[in-house]
Amino acid sequence: DWKMQDVLDEEIKTIKSMVGPDEHVICALSGGVDSTVAATLVHNAIGDRLHCVFVDNGLLRYKEKERVMSTFNSDLHLPVTCIDASEKFLTELKGVKDPEMKRKIIGREFIVVFDEFAHMLEQKIGKRPEYLVQGTLYPDVIESCPPPGSGRTHSHTIKSHHNVGGLPKDMKLKLIEPLKLLFKDEVRKLGSILNVPESFLKRHPFPGPGLAVRVIGDVTAGNALEVLRQVDEIFIQAIKDAGLYDEIWQAFAVFLPVQTVGVQGDQRTHSHVVALRAITSEDGMTANWCPFSFKPVRYDFERPFLVDVVKKICNNVRGVNRVVLDVTSKPPATVEWE
Ligand code: XMP
């Protein structure tokens, strides 16, 4: 794609001339497409004066850390430090049920870890980094600063905690936002030119607070996170096997703090309920539940597929004896349950 190649060349030139020869740059990787493409681009421009951090907050999906770290290391050769802060995050979240409180705690803990990373780095390179890379896209720019008279409001303040607004005030970092004039499909093209694996570029969006907004109530209760990881992995794998992954905007499981009676083998059980949610959407602002929103309608998401997934979940995940399907669009529901 010659147009995106031009954009890439131009951006690399700009970053090279902006960042002085002994200045350093930091970047927090979420495992998502935007931060990964932004970091890869900056790495192309300034090499190992870029320092990335990936935080394990204990709220990641099944094998997520291993999967993204392998992409960062083996495919992209990005300089990434992985910080395991899971114990701290989960300790702080213990007993917390309120969704907004959960988000607040997670945002705060991200800042603590990020601050630690900056200090570690300062020790290592002998000075403070001057720049911060952010994977801000054009729609984020419009959303956080709607043109006057557009009638748009700050619809995505919900995402603010992992944008720069949430970073430590005394860090005084200058921003590098190489994607800020691009739309999502252009970022994917750019990523492709930068050799980010195609499967990675097509990943479904994942919320910053991670599985915390998909375990209803206290995320540390029982083995909710472990159960959710297993159910989610079975669901996503089945969607991939059925060739449906790329047609779905987002699919995931939700853990409910509800136990119901079931019968498994000859045993009466009293186990948890999980919900499955799959949606189609253009931008996450509105959404339709699958399968009926597929265009053309894909009947393969219906009975045989669902029957098989439910069987797999109940047979393989201890502690689950009931699966429900979320058939609510946005609005009136949101995409996430919390
Ligand atoms: P909702 O649930 O608001 O989700 O309909 C719309 C899209 O945003 C994602 N989402 C988040 N992303 N931090 C994020 O980075 C958050 O706190 C957050 N909450 C929701 C959600 O997964 C969906 O793609």
Side-chain angles (χ1 to χ4, degrees):
D1 191 311
W2 58 269
K3 190 180 148 239
M4 290 320 292
Q5 184 67 55
D6 279 355
V7 170
L8 177 62
D9 295 344
E10 205 51 48
E11 273 302 329
I12 289 180
K13 217 166 83 190
T14 307
I15 293 165
K16 273 184 172 157
S17 65
M18 185 161 84
V19 180
D22 34 55
E23 290 189 312
H24 289 256
V25 180
I26 56 178
C27 178
L29 293 172
S30 68
V33 175
D34 306 340
S35 60
T36 304
V37 172
T40 307
L41 192 157
V42 174
H43 191 229
N44 265 263
I46 62 161
D48 288 0
R49 282 181 292 130
L50 170 72
H51 310 270
C52 305
V53 60
F54 176 77
V55 181
D56 179 355
N57 55 11
L59 304 163
L60 304 174
R61 281 165 293 184
Y62 181 78
K63 291 214 162 81
E64 174 74 0
K65 177 168 63 184
E66 292 79 2
R67 286 171 184 170
V68 298
M69 285 304 289
S70 149
T71 301
F72 297 153
N73 290 327
S74 312
D75 298 315
L76 301 173
H77 309 289
L78 281 175
V80 188
T81 304
C82 180
I83 297 186
D84 181 355
S86 51
E87 250 186 72
K88 181 77 192 315
F89 274 82
L90 295 180
T91 304
E92 294 297 320
L93 286 166
K94 201 168 175 55
V96 181
K97 291 184 176 160
D98 178 63
E100 278 318 298
M101 190 56 82
K102 288 192 206 173
R103 276 202 167 77
K104 223 184 230 157
I105 291 169
I106 293 164
R108 189 188 70 205
E109 289 307 314
F110 264 122
I111 293 170
V112 171
V113 179
F114 205 75
D115 223 6
E116 269 168 32
F117 174 66
H119 280 111
M120 260 166 54
L121 204 58
E122 208 178 327
Q123 307 269 297
K124 195 171 122 192
I125 60 178
K127 64 200 284 278
R128 281 178 169 261
E130 287 86 356
Y131 291 90
L132 172 75
V133 184
Q134 293 242 289
T136 320
L137 306 193
Y138 190 58
D140 305 331
V141 178
I142 310 172
E143 268 163 22
S144 54
C145 188
S150 66
R152 297 183 67 145
T153 52
H154 291 242
S155 49
H156 264 198
T157 45
I158 202 166
K159 293 188 175 184
S160 59
H161 75 254
H162 70 176
N163 287 335
V164 73
L167 290 174
K169 303 269 180 297
D170 63 344
M171 284 178 72
K172 295 200 184 73
L173 290 158
K174 290 173 270 185
L175 281 186
I176 300 178
E177 297 181 302
L179 314 178
K180 89 171 170 230
L181 296 178
L182 304 181
F183 287 96
K184 193 86 179 184
D185 57 320
E186 295 175 314
V187 173
R188 293 205 166 101
K189 281 183 198 151
L190 199 62
S192 182
I193 299 175
L194 286 161
N195 292 321
V196 180
E198 224 44 52
S199 60
F200 193 92
L201 292 173
K202 287 180 170 168
R203 298 186 101 200
H204 290 171
F206 186 69
L211 298 181
V213 294
R214 295 178 180 174
V215 170
I216 307 309
D218 182 354
V219 298
T220 66
N223 53 352
L225 282 167
E226 199 38 49
V227 167
L228 181 56
R229 283 191 184 103
Q230 291 176 30
V231 174
D232 191 71
E233 179 66 9
I234 291 171
F235 185 38
I236 297 298
Q237 200 50 56
I239 286 173
K240 285 184 175 162
D241 291 346
L244 292 167
Y245 189 81
D246 295 347
E247 296 184 52
I248 293 173
W249 166 270
Q250 214 170 350
F252 54 90
V254 182
F255 182 91
L256 310 187
V258 172
Q259 280 167 289
T260 69
V261 173
V263 52
Q264 288 170 295
D266 292 332
Q267 296 277 317
R268 209 179 113 98
T269 56
H270 191 227
S271 310
H272 278 282
V273 185
V274 293
L276 302 181
R277 182 148 176 72
I279 53 155
T280 54
S281 177
E282 291 298 321
D283 53 9
M285 302 299 289
T286 60
N288 286 312
W289 59 279
C290 302
F292 301 110
S293 56
F294 284 133
K295 289 187 181 72
V297 175
R298 290 286 302 258
Y299 292 101
D300 36 3
F301 191 79
E302 291 191 69
R303 271 189 65 152
F305 172 81
L306 289 171
V307 166
D308 191 48
V309 171
V310 171
K311 205 187 287 172
K312 270 190 194 133
I313 291 170
C314 291
N315 286 346
N316 292 294
V317 185
R318 263 183 92 93
V320 175
N321 66 2
R322 196 176 294 269
V323 180
V324 297
L325 179 68
D326 185 346
V327 293
T328 326
S329 292
K330 173 182 179 177
T334 50
V335 174
E336 305 292 346
W337 278 39
E338 279 197 342

